[in-house]
Amino acid sequence: MADEIAVVGGVDTHTDFHQAAVIDPIGRHLATEAFATTPCGYRQLLHWLRSHGEVIAVGVEGTGAYGSELARYLRANQVTVIEVDRPDRRARRANGKSDPVDAFAAATAVLSGRAGGTPKTRDGIVEAIRSLRVVRRSAVKGRTQAINQIRTLIVTAPGEIRERLRTLAPAELIKHLSRSRPGTDTSAPTCAVRIALRRLARRYQYLTEEIADADAELKTLVLEAAPSLVALPGVGTETAAQLLITAGDNPERLTSEASFAHLCAAAPVPASSGRTNRHRLNRGGDRHANHALHMIALVRMRYDQRTQNYVARRTAEGMSKKDILRCLKRFIAREIYKHLTRPHTAPQPLTQTA
């Protein structure tokens, strides 16, 4: 009977439909079918998988994108979801590329053990933080573009405008331009430039208010999610928010502080050759998390006495600045991991040793 068979599912996710596949415990392909990305489609997909037997696990590509809602639905129905990376290029060249092929590859990756990662649940306060940071980052980018465009327009503006504005500080410049009255004759280049400058200045002010609102909201959420994390030296709201997002709402999926360091690209990579015995910076992992660790390290190098003492000692030993930063980021990742998995514990001092 079908209900006596253990099966493994695989799903290749897309915008409008998901391609599902099912295999048996020895890897034989049983069936494949496409389902709509709607609540009804998710129910049909799960019913279809269970019609082939007892579902051990389902490998889903793109659990952080197209497959996020499907992953939530499967977990809500007590189905184990495994995050599957897309096949590498060599495997695709050997096996071909199609939606059914990718779905079967996802199921095979779970069965073989090649894929075993637990996806983020994306159903708690960290997901709220991620959503707000998406808007904040775009607002910061837009504000930077606005001030750059203002500076460019001033450089090419007629002399009477350029000479009056070129020496103003940014805050004073934005205030002056936003209150200006350029006139209405848009056919005149001088008037058109003044209109453009005023619009850009008001856009800058609007985005500044939006960023301030987002900062206030994020500060409240980060303090609620991990108050002890923000209390660590060098850790601010932005860096704490990014590290929380990297860990997700279920940081227990990271089995050790070493796995968290690897995820943040802070794990040392051997780079020895011949008589040289050294490690180098990891260039993989989550680059946003790595940047957050980098900023924390720079702040501590400037303001934290214990970090300054460590840097001085390692420099005297002949270690380069890059290697010192690598070590610092690894130490910081170890410290932060404790506060991500136990967010309400009091901060403990970090002992930096080589």
Side-chain angles (χ1 to χ4, degrees):
M1 296 296 292
D3 59 356
E4 297 175 351
I5 302 174
V7 297
V8 176
V11 182
D12 181 30
T13 59
H14 299 275
T15 305
D16 300 318
F17 71 92
H18 295 329
Q19 186 75 34
V22 61
I23 62 176
D24 65 12
I26 60 175
R28 290 180 298 189
H29 295 185
L30 300 180
T32 179
E33 191 169 334
F35 299 89
T37 55
T38 62
C40 181
Y42 300 145
R43 289 194 297 271
Q44 292 173 351
L45 188 153
L46 181 57
H47 177 74
W48 178 81
L49 286 173
R50 286 174 169 169
S51 69
H52 291 86
E54 180 185 356
V55 180
I56 300 175
V58 177
V60 180
E61 284 190 22
T63 58
Y66 297 130
S68 58
E69 183 59 27
L70 174 62
R72 278 191 286 262
Y73 178 81
L74 293 175
R75 282 195 302 270
N77 285 273
Q78 290 74 51
V79 176
T80 301
V81 178
I82 304 297
E83 185 172 7
V84 178
D85 296 329
R86 69 177 185 176
D88 58 32
R89 294 179 179 178
R90 181 176 180 182
R92 289 200 169 191
R93 284 195 298 267
N95 301 323
K97 170 72 177 77
S98 70
D99 295 335
V101 168
D102 288 347
F104 279 121
T108 303
V110 174
L111 183 63
S112 65
R114 182 177 65 82
T118 302
K120 298 177 183 178
T121 58
R122 296 181 180 272
D123 57 2
I125 191 171
V126 175
E127 180 64 11
I129 293 172
R130 187 192 69 83
S131 300
L132 291 175
R133 283 195 80 244
V134 169
V135 180
R136 185 191 182 279
R137 291 185 67 187
S138 66
V140 170
K141 184 177 181 180
R143 186 177 66 173
T144 302
Q145 290 176 336
I147 191 63
N148 288 341
Q149 289 168 342
I150 288 173
R151 292 297 189 189
T152 301
L153 280 175
I154 290 175
V155 169
T156 59
E160 59 184 283
I161 299 176
R162 184 176 65 252
E163 296 306 320
R164 186 184 308 169
L165 301 177
R166 66 191 303 178
T167 59
L168 296 180
E172 187 179 358
L173 176 65
I174 295 299
K175 184 178 180 180
H176 174 79
L177 292 176
S178 64
R179 294 180 177 181
S180 64
R181 296 183 178 181
T184 58
D185 185 11
T186 56
S187 62
T190 301
C191 180
V193 168
R194 286 172 173 166
I195 292 173
L197 289 172
R198 183 177 67 173
R199 288 176 179 173
L200 286 170
R202 290 182 175 180
R203 180 187 301 174
Y204 183 96
Q205 289 178 329
Y206 173 80
L207 291 174
T208 299
E209 293 176 1
E210 185 176 307
I211 293 168
D213 291 341
D215 285 339
E217 294 163 348
L218 285 169
K219 183 176 181 179
T220 300
L221 292 176
V222 170
L223 285 173
E224 180 181 348
S228 64
L229 181 61
V230 186
L232 295 173
V235 180
T237 301
E238 266 297 290
T239 50
Q242 178 56 60
L243 294 169
L244 284 168
I245 292 169
T246 300
D249 282 300
N250 51 332
E252 64 277 2
R253 69 194 182 92
L254 304 171
T255 56
S256 66
E257 54 89 14
S259 65
F260 175 68
H262 186 78
L263 177 62
C264 295
V269 178
S272 301
S273 177
R275 297 179 180 179
T276 302
N277 184 16
R278 61 180 293 271
H279 292 77
R280 66 166 174 83
L281 294 169
N282 187 350
R283 299 180 180 87
D286 186 334
R287 301 313 301 173
H288 295 298
N290 186 269
H291 179 262
L293 294 179
H294 187 82
M295 295 305 298
I296 295 170
L298 291 181
V299 171
R300 290 187 176 186
M301 288 172 70
R302 183 164 186 176
Y303 298 105
D304 185 43
Q305 186 60 49
R306 60 179 181 165
T307 304
Q308 292 171 353
N309 295 339
Y310 174 80
V311 172
R313 177 168 64 85
R314 299 298 277 176
T315 301
E317 294 173 358
M319 183 175 285
S320 67
K321 184 177 180 180
K322 282 187 177 181
D323 285 336
I324 293 173
L325 275 171
R326 173 187 63 76
C327 293
L328 284 175
K329 287 195 282 189
R330 182 64 181 87
F331 294 140
I332 294 169
R334 179 182 299 120
E335 180 184 34
I336 284 175
Y337 174 77
K338 300 175 183 178
H339 296 278
L340 289 174
T341 53
R342 296 187 297 275
H344 297 290
T345 59
Q348 297 295 326
L350 173 64
T351 302
Q352 293 172 343
T353 57

